[in-house]
Amino acid sequence: MSAARPFGVVVADEVRRELSGRARVVALETTLISHGLPHPRNLMLARAVEAAVREAGAVPATIGVVEGRIKVGLDDADLVRLAEGAKGGGNVVKASTRDLALVAARGLTAGTTVAATIHLAAASGIRVMATGGIGGVHPGGEASLDVSADLDALARTPCAVVCAGPKAILDLPRTLEALETRGVLVAGYGTDRLPGFYVRETPLSVPMLDGIEAAERLLQAQEALGWPAGIVIANPPPGDLALEPDAFGAMLDAALEAAGAEGVQGSGLTPFLLRHLAAASGGRTVRLNEALVLANARLAARLAAYRG
Ligand code: PSU
Ligand code: MN
């Protein structure tokens, strides 16, 4: 057992050096690798995202837990290990904020959600992270209380999260309301409509950021205020793969109906819906998911590397 090893967060040398210098670092989450995308494309994406961050002039800090070691900055063997989670079998788990201590204490391997990732990023001095979509209020969440810990983590963690909006299978109006209650701003990057992950825009209004400088000014204003919350920077998904709202709505309704018919609920619901959407769209939703994660990582890297 690992009882003799002290607990703590292991920050990779390259990340540590960068943080003590120019601090151009982008944090990346790993639940989307371990549980969000099929193997081996998830591994290819994890590598491609790190390369995209480097190309844009920043240092990637992919965050996850490997055999109980909480790491900020994974090496390639760690990525290989975490990507195996998508093969199933349960030897790679999903860790949100609640779970971090448990996986560390048990020596488990885990992909970290947005909530757990921003906690570890901010604690290490990283102020920007990138992902595909954040969690939020699930349909019916007002009764079931199935509301992602991402929302509460955003409320108390000063880290900007670049994403394509909340995961499309969520209740978006209630997710925006819950973020407002928690003092978390959601801004649109180049848009005044909330992006909806698979669709470029939803009817929901958000303040627009017209470029990197506007985004950086917003982060600086927030930092100056001392308000402890993160900011969500919602970047519309790439137009060539994004779905039309009506077509997506019909696909989602069919997926929800199938889930209801098969009695799928709880933590199994999201993977079921994602698989259903992938099949119904001929794989397009998976390609779109990959493309938007890459685009978000590039934008986060430009933000991290921006110096007025
Ligand atoms: N968006 C995706 N795929 C994912 C996730 C988001 O397209 O796998 C992950 C993120 O890590 C997010 C998490 O933080 O799902 C939210 O999970 P929950 O609702 O259980 O908090
Ligand atoms: Mn949940």
Side-chain angles (χ1 to χ4, degrees), residues 155-220:
R156 57 167 185 257
T157 313
C159 186
V161 174
V162 180
C163 64
K167 284 193 280 187
I169 51 174
L170 298 169
D171 182 329
L172 297 185
R174 285 192 173 89
T175 298
L176 267 195
E177 290 290 349
L179 285 166
E180 178 186 344
T181 303
R182 288 161 175 76
V184 179
L185 179 68
V186 180
Y189 192 78
T191 178
D192 61 3
R193 300 283 152 187
L194 180 72
F197 197 84
Y198 296 120
V199 299
R200 283 182 62 83
E201 58 180 48
T202 68
L204 300 163
S205 293
V206 289
M208 178 165 97
L209 299 170
D210 63 10
I212 292 288
E213 186 178 358
E216 176 60 26
R217 276 183 62 77
L218 178 64
L219 299 196
Q220 285 176 4

Tab-separated table of all heavy atoms in Angstrom, residues 155-220:
chain	number	residue	atom	x	y	z
A	155	ALA	N	-18.024	28.897	-8.495
A	155	ALA	CA	-18.376	30.002	-7.598
A	155	ALA	C	-17.251	30.350	-6.629
A	155	ALA	O	-17.183	31.468	-6.130
A	155	ALA	CB	-19.631	29.642	-6.819
A	156	ARG	N	-16.357	29.412	-6.370
A	156	ARG	CA	-15.335	29.679	-5.349
A	156	ARG	C	-13.913	29.520	-5.872
A	156	ARG	O	-12.971	29.509	-5.077
A	156	ARG	CB	-15.552	28.747	-4.141
A	156	ARG	CG	-15.529	27.295	-4.502
A	156	ARG	CD	-15.431	26.359	-3.323
A	156	ARG	NE	-15.302	25.024	-3.851
A	156	ARG	CZ	-16.297	24.131	-3.898
A	156	ARG	NH1	-17.480	24.404	-3.391
A	156	ARG	NH2	-16.100	22.950	-4.439
A	157	THR	N	-13.756	29.437	-7.191
A	157	THR	CA	-12.426	29.161	-7.740
A	157	THR	C	-12.055	30.185	-8.808
A	157	THR	O	-12.705	30.238	-9.861
A	157	THR	CB	-12.391	27.748	-8.359
A	157	THR	OG1	-12.996	26.830	-7.438
A	157	THR	CG2	-10.967	27.308	-8.639
A	158	PRO	N	-11.034	30.992	-8.579
A	158	PRO	CA	-10.683	32.030	-9.548
A	158	PRO	C	-9.910	31.479	-10.740
A	158	PRO	O	-8.704	31.634	-10.841
A	158	PRO	CB	-9.836	33.004	-8.720
A	158	PRO	CG	-9.225	32.162	-7.654
A	158	PRO	CD	-10.206	31.061	-7.361
A	159	CYS	N	-10.635	30.820	-11.644
A	159	CYS	CA	-10.013	30.270	-12.849
A	159	CYS	C	-11.004	30.472	-13.992
A	159	CYS	O	-12.194	30.147	-13.849
A	159	CYS	CB	-9.713	28.780	-12.649
A	159	CYS	SG	-8.787	28.020	-13.997
A	160	ALA	N	-10.533	31.030	-15.094
A	160	ALA	CA	-11.406	31.200	-16.264
A	160	ALA	C	-11.546	29.864	-16.978
A	160	ALA	O	-10.559	29.142	-17.141
A	160	ALA	CB	-10.810	32.237	-17.207
A	161	VAL	N	-12.764	29.517	-17.378
A	161	VAL	CA	-13.007	28.247	-18.050
A	161	VAL	C	-13.494	28.518	-19.476
A	161	VAL	O	-14.576	29.074	-19.681
A	161	VAL	CB	-14.053	27.415	-17.286
A	161	VAL	CG1	-14.402	26.148	-18.069
A	161	VAL	CG2	-13.522	27.046	-15.894
A	162	VAL	N	-12.660	28.147	-20.444
A	162	VAL	CA	-13.035	28.300	-21.851
A	162	VAL	C	-13.719	27.014	-22.290
A	162	VAL	O	-13.141	25.924	-22.192
A	162	VAL	CB	-11.802	28.580	-22.733
A	162	VAL	CG1	-12.220	28.743	-24.195
A	162	VAL	CG2	-11.059	29.824	-22.240
A	163	CYS	N	-14.961	27.120	-22.755
A	163	CYS	CA	-15.737	25.938	-23.139
A	163	CYS	C	-16.701	26.334	-24.259
A	163	CYS	O	-16.750	27.493	-24.664
A	163	CYS	CB	-16.516	25.408	-21.936
A	163	CYS	SG	-17.752	26.577	-21.326
A	164	ALA	N	-17.459	25.361	-24.769
A	164	ALA	CA	-18.438	25.648	-25.822
A	164	ALA	C	-19.832	25.748	-25.218
A	164	ALA	O	-20.831	25.474	-25.882
A	164	ALA	CB	-18.381	24.564	-26.896
A	165	GLY	N	-19.897	26.160	-23.956
A	165	GLY	CA	-21.175	26.253	-23.252
A	165	GLY	C	-21.367	25.027	-22.377
A	165	GLY	O	-20.525	24.128	-22.359
A	166	PRO	N	-22.451	24.993	-21.635
A	166	PRO	CA	-22.725	23.796	-20.839
A	166	PRO	C	-23.002	22.610	-21.764
A	166	PRO	O	-23.417	22.790	-22.908
A	166	PRO	CB	-23.985	24.170	-20.054
A	166	PRO	CG	-24.052	25.675	-20.113
A	166	PRO	CD	-23.452	26.048	-21.430
A	167	LYS	N	-22.751	21.393	-21.279
A	167	LYS	CA	-23.047	20.189	-22.050
A	167	LYS	C	-24.471	20.269	-22.585
A	167	LYS	O	-25.398	20.616	-21.857
A	167	LYS	CB	-22.920	18.943	-21.162
A	167	LYS	CG	-21.486	18.545	-20.902
A	167	LYS	CD	-21.390	17.158	-20.291
A	167	LYS	CE	-21.668	17.178	-18.803
A	167	LYS	NZ	-21.417	15.872	-18.155
A	168	ALA	N	-24.634	19.944	-23.868
A	168	ALA	CA	-25.888	20.210	-24.567
A	168	ALA	C	-27.073	19.441	-24.013
A	168	ALA	O	-28.217	19.796	-24.266
A	168	ALA	CB	-25.707	19.871	-26.043
A	169	ILE	N	-26.819	18.368	-23.281
A	169	ILE	CA	-27.925	17.555	-22.781
A	169	ILE	C	-28.480	18.110	-21.474
A	169	ILE	O	-29.367	17.523	-20.868
A	169	ILE	CB	-27.438	16.112	-22.551
A	169	ILE	CG1	-26.167	16.159	-21.717
A	169	ILE	CG2	-27.187	15.414	-23.877
A	169	ILE	CD1	-25.670	14.806	-21.314
A	170	LEU	N	-27.982	19.287	-21.050
A	170	LEU	CA	-28.428	19.866	-19.783
A	170	LEU	C	-29.620	20.792	-19.982
A	170	LEU	O	-29.988	21.138	-21.102
A	170	LEU	CB	-27.273	20.650	-19.157
A	170	LEU	CG	-26.053	19.799	-18.811
A	170	LEU	CD1	-24.881	20.689	-18.465
A	170	LEU	CD2	-26.382	18.855	-17.672
A	171	ASP	N	-30.189	21.222	-18.857
A	171	ASP	CA	-31.223	22.259	-18.863
A	171	ASP	C	-30.481	23.604	-18.875
A	171	ASP	O	-30.009	24.068	-17.832
A	171	ASP	CB	-32.091	22.099	-17.614
A	171	ASP	CG	-33.224	23.109	-17.559
A	171	ASP	OD1	-33.054	24.236	-18.078
A	171	ASP	OD2	-34.269	22.770	-16.982
A	172	LEU	N	-30.356	24.199	-20.063
A	172	LEU	CA	-29.510	25.386	-20.197
A	172	LEU	C	-30.056	26.614	-19.463
A	172	LEU	O	-29.288	27.307	-18.778
A	172	LEU	CB	-29.263	25.709	-21.679
A	172	LEU	CG	-28.499	24.640	-22.462
A	172	LEU	CD1	-28.215	25.115	-23.885
A	172	LEU	CD2	-27.201	24.279	-21.784
A	173	PRO	N	-31.348	26.935	-19.566
A	173	PRO	CA	-31.827	28.102	-18.813
A	173	PRO	C	-31.593	27.955	-17.308
A	173	PRO	O	-31.144	28.902	-16.649
A	173	PRO	CB	-33.331	28.152	-19.139
A	173	PRO	CG	-33.442	27.473	-20.474
A	173	PRO	CD	-32.400	26.386	-20.444
A	174	ARG	N	-31.870	26.791	-16.755
A	174	ARG	CA	-31.648	26.616	-15.310
A	174	ARG	C	-30.160	26.629	-14.966
A	174	ARG	O	-29.763	27.071	-13.890
A	174	ARG	CB	-32.302	25.320	-14.814
A	174	ARG	CG	-33.815	25.431	-14.706
A	174	ARG	CD	-34.414	24.261	-13.949
A	174	ARG	NE	-35.828	24.465	-13.713
A	174	ARG	CZ	-36.807	24.086	-14.543
A	174	ARG	NH1	-36.515	23.451	-15.671
A	174	ARG	NH2	-38.064	24.331	-14.245
A	175	THR	N	-29.328	26.144	-15.872
A	175	THR	CA	-27.883	26.180	-15.626
A	175	THR	C	-27.398	27.630	-15.551
A	175	THR	O	-26.619	27.985	-14.650
A	175	THR	CB	-27.133	25.408	-16.734
A	175	THR	OG1	-27.556	24.037	-16.696
A	175	THR	CG2	-25.622	25.474	-16.548
A	176	LEU	N	-27.886	28.473	-16.465
A	176	LEU	CA	-27.514	29.901	-16.415
A	176	LEU	C	-28.012	30.559	-15.128
A	176	LEU	O	-27.307	31.360	-14.516
A	176	LEU	CB	-28.095	30.658	-17.605
A	176	LEU	CG	-27.257	30.817	-18.872
A	176	LEU	CD1	-27.853	31.896	-19.761
A	176	LEU	CD2	-25.804	31.144	-18.557
A	177	GLU	N	-29.246	30.214	-14.733
A	177	GLU	CA	-29.792	30.779	-13.486
A	177	GLU	C	-28.942	30.366	-12.285
A	177	GLU	O	-28.644	31.173	-11.406
A	177	GLU	CB	-31.229	30.292	-13.251
A	177	GLU	CG	-32.264	30.860	-14.208
A	177	GLU	CD	-32.549	32.343	-13.995
A	177	GLU	OE1	-32.108	32.921	-12.983
A	177	GLU	OE2	-33.196	32.931	-14.864
A	178	ALA	N	-28.563	29.091	-12.258
A	178	ALA	CA	-27.782	28.589	-11.120
A	178	ALA	C	-26.412	29.259	-11.070
A	178	ALA	O	-25.889	29.549	-9.990
A	178	ALA	CB	-27.637	27.074	-11.218
A	179	LEU	N	-25.836	29.537	-12.234
A	179	LEU	CA	-24.543	30.241	-12.258
A	179	LEU	C	-24.706	31.676	-11.798
A	179	LEU	O	-23.870	32.214	-11.067
A	179	LEU	CB	-23.937	30.171	-13.667
A	179	LEU	CG	-23.344	28.804	-14.024
A	179	LEU	CD1	-23.087	28.691	-15.521
A	179	LEU	CD2	-22.042	28.565	-13.253
A	180	GLU	N	-25.806	32.312	-12.214
A	180	GLU	CA	-26.054	33.695	-11.769
A	180	GLU	C	-26.171	33.739	-10.246
A	180	GLU	O	-25.571	34.586	-9.586
A	180	GLU	CB	-27.331	34.235	-12.426
A	180	GLU	CG	-27.659	35.652	-11.960
A	180	GLU	CD	-28.985	36.167	-12.481
A	180	GLU	OE1	-29.538	35.589	-13.433
A	180	GLU	OE2	-29.481	37.154	-11.906
A	181	THR	N	-26.939	32.803	-9.689
A	181	THR	CA	-27.108	32.756	-8.232
A	181	THR	C	-25.761	32.652	-7.526
A	181	THR	O	-25.548	33.241	-6.467
A	181	THR	CB	-27.972	31.531	-7.852
A	181	THR	OG1	-29.218	31.639	-8.538
A	181	THR	CG2	-28.201	31.448	-6.355
A	182	ARG	N	-24.846	31.914	-8.145
A	182	ARG	CA	-23.532	31.683	-7.522
A	182	ARG	C	-22.522	32.772	-7.838
A	182	ARG	O	-21.355	32.666	-7.453
A	182	ARG	CB	-23.003	30.312	-7.978
A	182	ARG	CG	-23.765	29.156	-7.344
A	182	ARG	CD	-23.566	27.862	-8.122
A	182	ARG	NE	-24.198	26.746	-7.437
A	182	ARG	CZ	-25.517	26.519	-7.439
A	182	ARG	NH1	-26.340	27.334	-8.070
A	182	ARG	NH2	-25.998	25.479	-6.785
A	183	GLY	N	-22.963	33.803	-8.557
A	183	GLY	CA	-22.046	34.901	-8.857
A	183	GLY	C	-21.032	34.565	-9.929
A	183	GLY	O	-19.927	35.109	-9.930
A	184	VAL	N	-21.403	33.663	-10.855
A	184	VAL	CA	-20.475	33.263	-11.918
A	184	VAL	C	-20.933	33.860	-13.244
A	184	VAL	O	-22.033	33.565	-13.722
A	184	VAL	CB	-20.396	31.730	-12.047
A	184	VAL	CG1	-19.451	31.338	-13.183
A	184	VAL	CG2	-19.949	31.103	-10.732
A	185	LEU	N	-20.089	34.701	-13.839
A	185	LEU	CA	-20.402	35.311	-15.131
A	185	LEU	C	-20.160	34.309	-16.260
A	185	LEU	O	-19.139	33.619	-16.279
A	185	LEU	CB	-19.517	36.548	-15.350
A	185	LEU	CG	-19.724	37.264	-16.688
A	185	LEU	CD1	-21.092	37.928	-16.745
A	185	LEU	CD2	-18.614	38.285	-16.926
A	186	VAL	N	-21.102	34.270	-17.201
A	186	VAL	CA	-20.907	33.521	-18.449
A	186	VAL	C	-20.864	34.545	-19.571
A	186	VAL	O	-21.838	35.289	-19.768
A	186	VAL	CB	-22.060	32.526	-18.707
A	186	VAL	CG1	-21.830	31.770	-20.021
A	186	VAL	CG2	-22.191	31.544	-17.541
A	187	ALA	N	-19.746	34.631	-20.276
A	187	ALA	CA	-19.616	35.580	-21.383
A	187	ALA	C	-19.469	34.801	-22.679
A	187	ALA	O	-18.936	33.694	-22.702
A	187	ALA	CB	-18.400	36.477	-21.159
A	188	GLY	N	-19.966	35.384	-23.775
A	188	GLY	CA	-19.837	34.753	-25.091
A	188	GLY	C	-18.598	35.288	-25.792
A	188	GLY	O	-18.334	36.489	-25.741
A	189	TYR	N	-17.840	34.397	-26.415
A	189	TYR	CA	-16.673	34.858	-27.156
A	189	TYR	C	-17.095	35.115	-28.601
A	189	TYR	O	-17.382	34.191	-29.363
A	189	TYR	CB	-15.537	33.833	-27.096
A	189	TYR	CG	-14.243	34.420	-27.614
A	189	TYR	CD1	-13.478	35.264	-26.822
A	189	TYR	CD2	-13.820	34.177	-28.911
A	189	TYR	CE1	-12.317	35.846	-27.306
A	189	TYR	CE2	-12.655	34.748	-29.403
A	189	TYR	CZ	-11.919	35.585	-28.590
A	189	TYR	OH	-10.768	36.162	-29.076
A	190	GLY	N	-17.198	36.397	-28.968
A	190	GLY	CA	-17.635	36.767	-30.315
A	190	GLY	C	-19.112	36.540	-30.552
A	190	GLY	O	-19.557	36.478	-31.693
A	191	THR	N	-19.889	36.398	-29.493
A	191	THR	CA	-21.328	36.172	-29.641
A	191	THR	C	-22.058	36.710	-28.416
A	191	THR	O	-21.492	36.720	-27.321
A	191	THR	CB	-21.655	34.671	-29.812
A	191	THR	OG1	-23.074	34.507	-29.913
A	191	THR	CG2	-21.169	33.839	-28.644
A	192	ASP	N	-23.307	37.155	-28.618
A	192	ASP	CA	-24.117	37.570	-27.463
A	192	ASP	C	-25.232	36.556	-27.188
A	192	ASP	O	-26.188	36.842	-26.480
A	192	ASP	CB	-24.674	38.987	-27.654
A	192	ASP	CG	-25.586	39.105	-28.865
A	192	ASP	OD1	-25.841	38.072	-29.537
A	192	ASP	OD2	-26.047	40.219	-29.149
A	193	ARG	N	-25.093	35.360	-27.775
A	193	ARG	CA	-26.021	34.246	-27.491
A	193	ARG	C	-25.209	33.104	-26.892
A	193	ARG	O	-24.148	32.768	-27.410
A	193	ARG	CB	-26.685	33.737	-28.766
A	193	ARG	CG	-27.495	34.754	-29.496
A	193	ARG	CD	-28.823	34.979	-28.821
A	193	ARG	NE	-29.275	36.341	-29.108
A	193	ARG	CZ	-30.343	36.896	-28.562
A	193	ARG	NH1	-31.063	36.229	-27.699
A	193	ARG	NH2	-30.690	38.119	-28.858
A	194	LEU	N	-25.742	32.480	-25.854
A	194	LEU	CA	-25.017	31.370	-25.246
A	194	LEU	C	-24.824	30.241	-26.262
A	194	LEU	O	-25.801	29.725	-26.812
A	194	LEU	CB	-25.812	30.831	-24.047
A	194	LEU	CG	-25.152	29.647	-23.324
A	194	LEU	CD1	-23.930	30.103	-22.543
A	194	LEU	CD2	-26.157	28.971	-22.390
A	195	PRO	N	-23.579	29.837	-26.527
A	195	PRO	CA	-23.368	28.656	-27.372
A	195	PRO	C	-23.897	27.416	-26.655
A	195	PRO	O	-23.857	27.336	-25.424
A	195	PRO	CB	-21.843	28.581	-27.520
A	195	PRO	CG	-21.330	29.943	-27.154
A	195	PRO	CD	-22.302	30.465	-26.124
A	196	GLY	N	-24.369	26.440	-27.413
A	196	GLY	CA	-24.970	25.247	-26.820
A	196	GLY	C	-24.215	23.965	-27.144
A	196	GLY	O	-24.828	22.929	-27.392
A	197	PHE	N	-22.899	24.046	-27.142
A	197	PHE	CA	-22.037	22.872	-27.319
A	197	PHE	C	-22.135	22.297	-28.735
A	197	PHE	O	-21.198	22.417	-29.507
A	197	PHE	CB	-22.345	21.815	-26.259
A	197	PHE	CG	-21.260	20.786	-26.108
A	197	PHE	CD1	-20.157	21.020	-25.312
A	197	PHE	CD2	-21.339	19.581	-26.775
A	197	PHE	CE1	-19.139	20.072	-25.190
A	197	PHE	CE2	-20.332	18.622	-26.657
A	197	PHE	CZ	-19.230	18.873	-25.861
A	198	TYR	N	-23.242	21.655	-29.083
A	198	TYR	CA	-23.397	21.131	-30.448
A	198	TYR	C	-23.941	22.183	-31.404
A	198	TYR	O	-23.854	22.021	-32.612
A	198	TYR	CB	-24.344	19.931	-30.469
A	198	TYR	CG	-23.843	18.727	-29.708
A	198	TYR	CD1	-24.558	18.218	-28.635
A	198	TYR	CD2	-22.660	18.084	-30.073
A	198	TYR	CE1	-24.115	17.106	-27.933
A	198	TYR	CE2	-22.210	16.973	-29.376
A	198	TYR	CZ	-22.935	16.493	-28.313
A	198	TYR	OH	-22.498	15.403	-27.621
A	199	VAL	N	-24.555	23.233	-30.854
A	199	VAL	CA	-25.120	24.308	-31.689
A	199	VAL	C	-24.385	25.609	-31.384
A	199	VAL	O	-23.961	25.847	-30.254
A	199	VAL	CB	-26.644	24.480	-31.455
A	199	VAL	CG1	-27.373	23.201	-31.809
A	199	VAL	CG2	-26.950	24.895	-30.021
A	200	ARG	N	-24.239	26.454	-32.415
A	200	ARG	CA	-23.434	27.672	-32.233
A	200	ARG	C	-24.120	28.672	-31.325
A	200	ARG	O	-23.457	29.413	-30.630
A	200	ARG	CB	-23.094	28.303	-33.582
A	200	ARG	CG	-21.972	27.531	-34.256
A	200	ARG	CD	-21.553	28.137	-35.565
A	200	ARG	NE	-21.019	29.488	-35.476
A	200	ARG	CZ	-19.763	29.797	-35.159
A	200	ARG	NH1	-18.892	28.832	-34.862
A	200	ARG	NH2	-19.360	31.045	-35.145
A	201	GLU	N	-25.441	28.712	-31.379
A	201	GLU	CA	-26.112	29.617	-30.452
A	201	GLU	C	-27.467	29.099	-29.996
A	201	GLU	O	-28.147	28.358	-30.700
A	201	GLU	CB	-26.228	31.027	-31.030
A	201	GLU	CG	-26.958	31.146	-32.328
A	201	GLU	CD	-26.998	32.621	-32.778
A	201	GLU	OE1	-25.946	33.294	-32.758
A	201	GLU	OE2	-28.086	33.083	-33.132
A	202	THR	N	-27.788	29.486	-28.758
A	202	THR	CA	-29.105	29.205	-28.186
A	202	THR	C	-29.809	30.558	-28.035
A	202	THR	O	-29.188	31.602	-28.224
A	202	THR	CB	-28.964	28.548	-26.797
A	202	THR	OG1	-28.423	29.516	-25.896
A	202	THR	CG2	-28.062	27.316	-26.841
A	203	PRO	N	-31.103	30.580	-27.685
A	203	PRO	CA	-31.777	31.870	-27.529
A	203	PRO	C	-31.336	32.649	-26.280
A	203	PRO	O	-31.774	33.785	-26.093
A	203	PRO	CB	-33.261	31.471	-27.416
A	203	PRO	CG	-33.345	30.075	-27.941
A	203	PRO	CD	-32.032	29.444	-27.632
A	204	LEU	N	-30.494	32.091	-25.445
A	204	LEU	CA	-30.151	32.736	-24.170
A	204	LEU	C	-29.088	33.829	-24.360
A	204	LEU	O	-28.076	33.603	-25.026
A	204	LEU	CB	-29.648	31.680	-23.184
A	204	LEU	CG	-30.686	30.590	-22.876
A	204	LEU	CD1	-30.011	29.368	-22.252
A	204	LEU	CD2	-31.763	31.143	-21.944
A	205	SER	N	-29.338	34.997	-23.763
A	205	SER	CA	-28.433	36.144	-23.920
A	205	SER	C	-27.260	36.083	-22.948
A	205	SER	O	-27.430	35.728	-21.777
A	205	SER	CB	-29.186	37.452	-23.639
A	205	SER	OG	-30.133	37.656	-24.635
A	206	VAL	N	-26.095	36.462	-23.455
A	206	VAL	CA	-24.904	36.611	-22.602
A	206	VAL	C	-24.155	37.860	-23.067
A	206	VAL	O	-24.286	38.272	-24.220
A	206	VAL	CB	-23.958	35.376	-22.712
A	206	VAL	CG1	-24.546	34.150	-22.044
A	206	VAL	CG2	-23.614	35.076	-24.170
A	207	PRO	N	-23.357	38.482	-22.184
A	207	PRO	CA	-22.527	39.588	-22.652
A	207	PRO	C	-21.451	39.070	-23.590
A	207	PRO	O	-20.946	37.959	-23.420
A	207	PRO	CB	-21.914	40.143	-21.360
A	207	PRO	CG	-22.043	39.062	-20.361
A	207	PRO	CD	-23.209	38.220	-20.743
A	208	MET	N	-21.127	39.898	-24.600
A	208	MET	CA	-20.179	39.461	-25.628
A	208	MET	C	-18.771	39.994	-25.366
A	208	MET	O	-18.600	41.146	-24.990
A	208	MET	CB	-20.640	39.948	-27.002
A	208	MET	CG	-19.684	39.582	-28.115
A	208	MET	SD	-20.415	39.761	-29.754
A	208	MET	CE	-19.825	41.363	-30.205
A	209	LEU	N	-17.780	39.140	-25.572
A	209	LEU	CA	-16.376	39.550	-25.585
A	209	LEU	C	-15.958	39.576	-27.054
A	209	LEU	O	-16.121	38.574	-27.749
A	209	LEU	CB	-15.517	38.542	-24.811
A	209	LEU	CG	-15.873	38.376	-23.327
A	209	LEU	CD1	-15.123	37.183	-22.744
A	209	LEU	CD2	-15.562	39.661	-22.555
A	210	ASP	N	-15.434	40.724	-27.526
A	210	ASP	CA	-15.156	40.809	-28.967
A	210	ASP	C	-13.728	40.416	-29.334
A	210	ASP	O	-13.323	40.579	-30.476
A	210	ASP	CB	-15.534	42.183	-29.520
A	210	ASP	CG	-14.700	43.293	-28.893
A	210	ASP	OD1	-13.719	42.985	-28.180
A	210	ASP	OD2	-15.033	44.471	-29.114
A	211	GLY	N	-12.970	39.923	-28.378
A	211	GLY	CA	-11.615	39.468	-28.716
A	211	GLY	C	-10.841	39.122	-27.461
A	211	GLY	O	-11.360	39.186	-26.340
A	212	ILE	N	-9.577	38.746	-27.670
A	212	ILE	CA	-8.718	38.333	-26.556
A	212	ILE	C	-8.517	39.466	-25.559
A	212	ILE	O	-8.541	39.260	-24.342
A	212	ILE	CB	-7.343	37.880	-27.086
A	212	ILE	CG1	-7.482	36.588	-27.882
A	212	ILE	CG2	-6.346	37.671	-25.951
A	212	ILE	CD1	-7.767	35.379	-27.043
A	213	GLU	N	-8.330	40.680	-26.078
A	213	GLU	CA	-8.078	41.798	-25.170
A	213	GLU	C	-9.270	42.019	-24.233
A	213	GLU	O	-9.101	42.259	-23.031
A	213	GLU	CB	-7.769	43.071	-25.958
A	213	GLU	CG	-7.372	44.193	-25.023
A	213	GLU	CD	-7.006	45.487	-25.743
A	213	GLU	OE1	-7.020	45.518	-26.985
A	213	GLU	OE2	-6.722	46.458	-25.020
A	214	ALA	N	-10.474	41.935	-24.798
A	214	ALA	CA	-11.670	42.120	-23.968
A	214	ALA	C	-11.763	41.021	-22.909
A	214	ALA	O	-12.145	41.267	-21.757
A	214	ALA	CB	-12.917	42.113	-24.854
A	215	ALA	N	-11.393	39.808	-23.286
A	215	ALA	CA	-11.425	38.698	-22.322
A	215	ALA	C	-10.405	38.925	-21.214
A	215	ALA	O	-10.692	38.728	-20.028
A	215	ALA	CB	-11.162	37.372	-23.050
A	216	GLU	N	-9.204	39.346	-21.600
A	216	GLU	CA	-8.151	39.578	-20.607
A	216	GLU	C	-8.539	40.716	-19.655
A	216	GLU	O	-8.325	40.634	-18.447
A	216	GLU	CB	-6.828	39.867	-21.319
A	216	GLU	CG	-5.670	40.230	-20.414
A	216	GLU	CD	-5.299	39.154	-19.382
A	216	GLU	OE1	-5.571	37.967	-19.631
A	216	GLU	OE2	-4.742	39.524	-18.329
A	217	ARG	N	-9.146	41.777	-20.207
A	217	ARG	CA	-9.571	42.898	-19.344
A	217	ARG	C	-10.608	42.427	-18.321
A	217	ARG	O	-10.597	42.844	-17.167
A	217	ARG	CB	-10.154	44.043	-20.187
A	217	ARG	CG	-9.103	44.968	-20.739
A	217	ARG	CD	-9.728	46.135	-21.499
A	217	ARG	NE	-10.569	46.994	-20.663
A	217	ARG	CZ	-10.118	47.904	-19.805
A	217	ARG	NH1	-8.826	48.055	-19.649
A	217	ARG	NH2	-10.950	48.649	-19.101
A	218	LEU	N	-11.487	41.563	-18.780
A	218	LEU	CA	-12.510	41.029	-17.868
A	218	LEU	C	-11.862	40.229	-16.729
A	218	LEU	O	-12.217	40.396	-15.553
A	218	LEU	CB	-13.479	40.146	-18.667
A	218	LEU	CG	-14.590	39.457	-17.889
A	218	LEU	CD1	-15.543	40.483	-17.281
A	218	LEU	CD2	-15.355	38.509	-18.809
A	219	LEU	N	-10.899	39.387	-17.076
A	219	LEU	CA	-10.213	38.602	-16.030
A	219	LEU	C	-9.479	39.520	-15.056
A	219	LEU	O	-9.509	39.311	-13.841
A	219	LEU	CB	-9.198	37.622	-16.648
A	219	LEU	CG	-9.715	36.551	-17.605
A	219	LEU	CD1	-8.661	35.468	-17.779
A	219	LEU	CD2	-11.018	35.953	-17.135
A	220	GLN	N	-8.859	40.558	-15.605
A	220	GLN	CA	-8.125	41.484	-14.721
A	220	GLN	C	-9.079	42.237	-13.797
A	220	GLN	O	-8.781	42.451	-12.622
A	220	GLN	CB	-7.302	42.469	-15.562
A	220	GLN	CG	-6.063	41.821	-16.170
A	220	GLN	CD	-5.302	42.767	-17.078
A	220	GLN	OE1	-5.644	43.936	-17.210
A	220	GLN	NE2	-4.271	42.246	-17.721
